[in-house]
C-alpha cells in the first residue's frame, strides 16, 4: 500500500480540517425538525465556501455530499426531507477534497434527549474508535486495530458490524488496505509511517446482520436495532497516530 510524504499528509489534513469544521457546525445546528437533506445542502455549501469539494457526490454513483444514517440505518443512508425527531440518532458521513486530497469522517449525533442506552452506545462507539486509533502506530498491525474495535465494543455489551471496513485514503476515497473492524492482535499488515487510513467502527444495540435496501446503498440492521458510527482519518507517523479530522 501507498505511503504518503509529510507534505501529502499536510494536504490530507487540510481536507480533514474542513470536514472537522463541518461536523462542528452540524453539531450546533442539528435538532428536532431539521432534515438530513438540509444538513446535506449545508455541508455542500460549507465545503465549497472553503475551497473544498464534497467528494462523495458521484462516487460510484452516490448522489449526495453526505451519508445520513438514521436509527437502524447502519451506513450509506440517503439524506431526505423527513424531519429528525427527538430521540433519533443520525450518523453524518462525509468526504472533503482539497486540491485532489481527501479526508473522511463520520459522526453520530443524538437528537434532543437520549435514553441511557443510546448514550452508552454512542460512548462505546467513540471509545472503540479511540482505542483503535491508539493502535495506529509504526510496528503495530491491522489486526491490532481490528481487535481493539471488536474487544472494546464487546466489553461494553454491543455488537460490531464487520460487513463494512475502513480503508486507505489520499487521492482516492478508497485505497488499500481494508481496515477491518475485527482482527487478531499481532496479525495482518504491518503499519508504517506515512500510511493514512480511516478507522470507522459501527456498533449496534442488537444484531450485527445487515440488509441493503432497494436504492442499492442504504444498509440497515436486520433486527431494527440502532447503529452508531464514528470515523476519523488517521496518519501513522513516527510520533504516533495523527488524527487528521479531529475537532
Ligand atoms: N465516507 C464513506 C466511508 O467511510 C464512503 C462513502 S461511499 C459513498 O468509507 F459513496 F457514499 F460516498
Ligand atoms: Co466516511
Amino acid at each position: 500500500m501507498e505511503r504518503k510524504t509529510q507534505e501529502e499528509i499536510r494536504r490530507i489534513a487540510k481536507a480533514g480540517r474542513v470536514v472537522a469544521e463541518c461536523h462542528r457546525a452540524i453539531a450546533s445546528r442539528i435538532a428536532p425538525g431539521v432534515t438530513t437533506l438540509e444538513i446535506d445542502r449545508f455541508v455542500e455549501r460549507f465545503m465549497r465556501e472553503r475551497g473544498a469539494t464534497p467528494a462523495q457526490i458521484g462516487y460510484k454513483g452516490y448522489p449526495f455530499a453526505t451519508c445520513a444514517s438514521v436509527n437502524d440505518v447502519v451506513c450509506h443512508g440517503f439524506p431526505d426531507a423527513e424531519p429528525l425527531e427527538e430521540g433519533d440518532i443520525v450518523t453524518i458521513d462525509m468526504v472533503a477534497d482539497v486540491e485532489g486530497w481527501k479526508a473522511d469522517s463520520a459522526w453520530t449525533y443524538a437528537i434532543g434527549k437520549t435514553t441511557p442506552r443510546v448514550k452508552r452506545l454512542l460512548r462505546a462507539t467513540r471509545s472503540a474508535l479511540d482505542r483503535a486509533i491508539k493502535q495506529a502506530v509504526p510496528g503495530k498491525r491491522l489486526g491490532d486495530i481490528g481487535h481493539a474495535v471488536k474487544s472494546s465494543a464487546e466489553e461494553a455489551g454491543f455488537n460490531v458490524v464487520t460487513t463494512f471496513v475502513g480503508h486507505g485514503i489520499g487521492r482516492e476515497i478508497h485505497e488499500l488496505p481494508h481496515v477491518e473492524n475485527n482482527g487478531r492482535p499481532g496479525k495482518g499488515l504491518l503499519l508504517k509511517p506515512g500510511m493514512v487510513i480511516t478507522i470507522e467502527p459501527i456498533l449496534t444495540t442488537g444484531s450485527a446482520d445487515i440488509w441493503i435496501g432497494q436504492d442499492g446503498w442504504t444498509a440497515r440492521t436486520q433486527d431494527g436495532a440502532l447503529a452508531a458510527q464514528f470515523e476519523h482519518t488517521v496518519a501513522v507517523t513516527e510520533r504516533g497516530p495523527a488524527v487528521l479530522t479531529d475537532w
Side-chain angles (χ1 to χ4, degrees), residues 56 59 62 67 76 93 95 104 167 174 200 217 231:
Q56 291 193 166
Y59 180 78
Y62 189 77
C67 300
H76 301 162
D93 190 357
V95 182
D104 185 357
H167 47 88
H174 290 147
E200 43 182 310
W217 286 97
E231 171 188 24

mmCIF file of all heavy atoms in Angstrom, residues 56 59 62 67 76 93 95 104 167 174 200 217 231, ligand 1:
data_model
loop_
_atom_site.group_PDB
_atom_site.id
_atom_site.type_symbol
_atom_site.label_atom_id
_atom_site.label_comp_id
_atom_site.label_asym_id
_atom_site.label_seq_id
_atom_site.Cartn_x
_atom_site.Cartn_y
_atom_site.Cartn_z
ATOM 1 N N GLN A 56 -18.033 12.774 -2.070
ATOM 2 C CA GLN A 56 -18.926 11.618 -2.162
ATOM 3 C C GLN A 56 -19.879 11.750 -3.361
ATOM 4 O O GLN A 56 -20.350 10.739 -3.876
ATOM 5 C CB GLN A 56 -19.728 11.432 -0.857
ATOM 6 C CG GLN A 56 -18.848 11.003 0.292
ATOM 7 C CD GLN A 56 -19.594 10.502 1.512
ATOM 8 O OE1 GLN A 56 -18.994 9.896 2.381
ATOM 9 N NE2 GLN A 56 -20.890 10.762 1.605
ATOM 10 N N TYR A 59 -19.468 9.576 -6.441
ATOM 11 C CA TYR A 59 -18.573 8.456 -6.163
ATOM 12 C C TYR A 59 -19.339 7.146 -6.307
ATOM 13 O O TYR A 59 -20.299 6.911 -5.571
ATOM 14 C CB TYR A 59 -17.961 8.595 -4.758
ATOM 15 C CG TYR A 59 -17.034 7.449 -4.422
ATOM 16 C CD1 TYR A 59 -15.753 7.409 -4.947
ATOM 17 C CD2 TYR A 59 -17.446 6.392 -3.613
ATOM 18 C CE1 TYR A 59 -14.903 6.352 -4.673
ATOM 19 C CE2 TYR A 59 -16.614 5.335 -3.324
ATOM 20 C CZ TYR A 59 -15.338 5.320 -3.856
ATOM 21 O OH TYR A 59 -14.512 4.269 -3.587
ATOM 22 N N TYR A 62 -22.925 7.597 -6.126
ATOM 23 C CA TYR A 62 -23.604 8.095 -4.915
ATOM 24 C C TYR A 62 -24.055 9.541 -5.146
ATOM 25 O O TYR A 62 -23.263 10.371 -5.591
ATOM 26 C CB TYR A 62 -22.689 8.007 -3.688
ATOM 27 C CG TYR A 62 -23.446 8.299 -2.412
ATOM 28 C CD1 TYR A 62 -24.267 7.350 -1.844
ATOM 29 C CD2 TYR A 62 -23.382 9.562 -1.818
ATOM 30 C CE1 TYR A 62 -25.010 7.628 -0.707
ATOM 31 C CE2 TYR A 62 -24.116 9.860 -0.677
ATOM 32 C CZ TYR A 62 -24.924 8.876 -0.133
ATOM 33 O OH TYR A 62 -25.672 9.164 0.984
ATOM 34 N N CYS A 67 -23.616 10.976 3.687
ATOM 35 C CA CYS A 67 -24.491 9.855 4.014
ATOM 36 C C CYS A 67 -25.154 10.244 5.329
ATOM 37 O O CYS A 67 -24.490 10.772 6.235
ATOM 38 C CB CYS A 67 -23.710 8.562 4.210
ATOM 39 S SG CYS A 67 -22.767 8.042 2.761
ATOM 40 N N HIS A 76 -24.470 4.665 4.832
ATOM 41 C CA HIS A 76 -24.827 4.938 3.427
ATOM 42 C C HIS A 76 -26.301 5.278 3.226
ATOM 43 O O HIS A 76 -26.854 5.064 2.139
ATOM 44 C CB HIS A 76 -24.435 3.752 2.521
ATOM 45 C CG HIS A 76 -22.972 3.438 2.568
ATOM 46 N ND1 HIS A 76 -22.451 2.243 2.141
ATOM 47 C CD2 HIS A 76 -21.914 4.154 3.019
ATOM 48 C CE1 HIS A 76 -21.133 2.230 2.304
ATOM 49 N NE2 HIS A 76 -20.788 3.394 2.850
ATOM 50 N N ASP A 93 -21.861 11.226 7.507
ATOM 51 C CA ASP A 93 -20.566 10.791 6.987
ATOM 52 C C ASP A 93 -20.238 11.628 5.753
ATOM 53 O O ASP A 93 -21.125 11.851 4.927
ATOM 54 C CB ASP A 93 -20.675 9.301 6.611
ATOM 55 C CG ASP A 93 -19.337 8.660 6.287
ATOM 56 O OD1 ASP A 93 -18.303 9.354 6.286
ATOM 57 O OD2 ASP A 93 -19.344 7.434 6.030
ATOM 58 N N VAL A 95 -16.902 13.199 2.917
ATOM 59 C CA VAL A 95 -15.516 13.267 2.452
ATOM 60 C C VAL A 95 -15.313 14.614 1.776
ATOM 61 O O VAL A 95 -16.082 14.977 0.879
ATOM 62 C CB VAL A 95 -15.201 12.145 1.435
ATOM 63 C CG1 VAL A 95 -13.744 12.214 1.002
ATOM 64 C CG2 VAL A 95 -15.533 10.770 2.006
ATOM 65 N N ASP A 104 -11.965 11.893 5.357
ATOM 66 C CA ASP A 104 -13.255 11.225 5.538
ATOM 67 C C ASP A 104 -13.535 11.115 7.037
ATOM 68 O O ASP A 104 -12.682 10.665 7.802
ATOM 69 C CB ASP A 104 -13.106 9.824 4.900
ATOM 70 C CG ASP A 104 -14.370 8.997 4.866
ATOM 71 O OD1 ASP A 104 -15.403 9.439 5.379
ATOM 72 O OD2 ASP A 104 -14.288 7.878 4.298
ATOM 73 N N HIS A 167 -10.441 2.085 5.439
ATOM 74 C CA HIS A 167 -9.697 1.987 4.181
ATOM 75 C C HIS A 167 -8.551 2.988 4.150
ATOM 76 O O HIS A 167 -8.575 3.996 4.863
ATOM 77 C CB HIS A 167 -10.651 2.265 3.016
ATOM 78 C CG HIS A 167 -11.525 3.483 3.228
ATOM 79 N ND1 HIS A 167 -11.148 4.755 2.870
ATOM 80 C CD2 HIS A 167 -12.736 3.620 3.837
ATOM 81 C CE1 HIS A 167 -12.094 5.610 3.208
ATOM 82 N NE2 HIS A 167 -13.075 4.956 3.815
ATOM 83 N N HIS A 174 -11.244 5.559 -1.476
ATOM 84 C CA HIS A 174 -10.964 4.198 -1.015
ATOM 85 C C HIS A 174 -9.673 3.699 -1.643
ATOM 86 O O HIS A 174 -9.605 3.434 -2.839
ATOM 87 C CB HIS A 174 -12.118 3.249 -1.361
ATOM 88 C CG HIS A 174 -13.350 3.517 -0.544
ATOM 89 N ND1 HIS A 174 -14.623 3.348 -1.012
ATOM 90 C CD2 HIS A 174 -13.482 3.937 0.736
ATOM 91 C CE1 HIS A 174 -15.501 3.660 -0.070
ATOM 92 N NE2 HIS A 174 -14.827 4.023 1.007
ATOM 93 N N GLU A 200 -13.304 3.215 11.264
ATOM 94 C CA GLU A 200 -14.719 3.591 11.276
ATOM 95 C C GLU A 200 -15.647 2.512 11.830
ATOM 96 O O GLU A 200 -16.436 1.934 11.104
ATOM 97 C CB GLU A 200 -15.165 4.037 9.889
ATOM 98 C CG GLU A 200 -14.691 3.195 8.706
ATOM 99 C CD GLU A 200 -15.168 3.782 7.365
ATOM 100 O OE1 GLU A 200 -16.363 4.066 7.250
ATOM 101 O OE2 GLU A 200 -14.346 3.954 6.460
ATOM 102 N N TRP A 217 -27.940 1.231 -1.685
ATOM 103 C CA TRP A 217 -26.983 1.839 -0.752
ATOM 104 C C TRP A 217 -27.346 1.627 0.717
ATOM 105 O O TRP A 217 -26.519 1.199 1.509
ATOM 106 C CB TRP A 217 -26.888 3.357 -1.008
ATOM 107 C CG TRP A 217 -26.134 3.711 -2.237
ATOM 108 C CD1 TRP A 217 -26.666 3.991 -3.472
ATOM 109 C CD2 TRP A 217 -24.719 3.828 -2.373
ATOM 110 N NE1 TRP A 217 -25.662 4.272 -4.352
ATOM 111 C CE2 TRP A 217 -24.460 4.187 -3.712
ATOM 112 C CE3 TRP A 217 -23.631 3.665 -1.496
ATOM 113 C CZ2 TRP A 217 -23.158 4.390 -4.195
ATOM 114 C CZ3 TRP A 217 -22.341 3.876 -1.976
ATOM 115 C CH2 TRP A 217 -22.120 4.221 -3.299
ATOM 116 N N GLU A 231 -15.990 7.881 12.762
ATOM 117 C CA GLU A 231 -14.897 7.632 11.818
ATOM 118 C C GLU A 231 -13.947 8.817 11.792
ATOM 119 O O GLU A 231 -14.382 9.962 11.718
ATOM 120 C CB GLU A 231 -15.472 7.443 10.405
ATOM 121 C CG GLU A 231 -14.404 7.401 9.310
ATOM 122 C CD GLU A 231 -14.985 7.398 7.894
ATOM 123 O OE1 GLU A 231 -16.122 7.867 7.706
ATOM 124 O OE2 GLU A 231 -14.269 6.934 6.992
HETATM 125 N N1 LIG B 1 -17.379 8.031 3.719
HETATM 126 C C1 LIG B 1 -17.597 6.656 3.371
HETATM 127 C C2 LIG B 1 -16.583 5.781 4.070
HETATM 128 O O1 LIG B 1 -16.425 5.943 5.237
HETATM 129 C C3 LIG B 1 -17.608 6.468 1.913
HETATM 130 C C4 LIG B 1 -18.969 6.595 1.468
HETATM 131 S S1 LIG B 1 -19.127 5.909 -0.047
HETATM 132 C C5 LIG B 1 -20.176 6.962 -0.768
HETATM 133 O O2 LIG B 1 -15.972 4.912 3.512
HETATM 134 F F1 LIG B 1 -20.362 6.504 -1.945
HETATM 135 F F2 LIG B 1 -21.267 7.037 -0.053
HETATM 136 F F3 LIG B 1 -19.652 8.138 -0.867
#
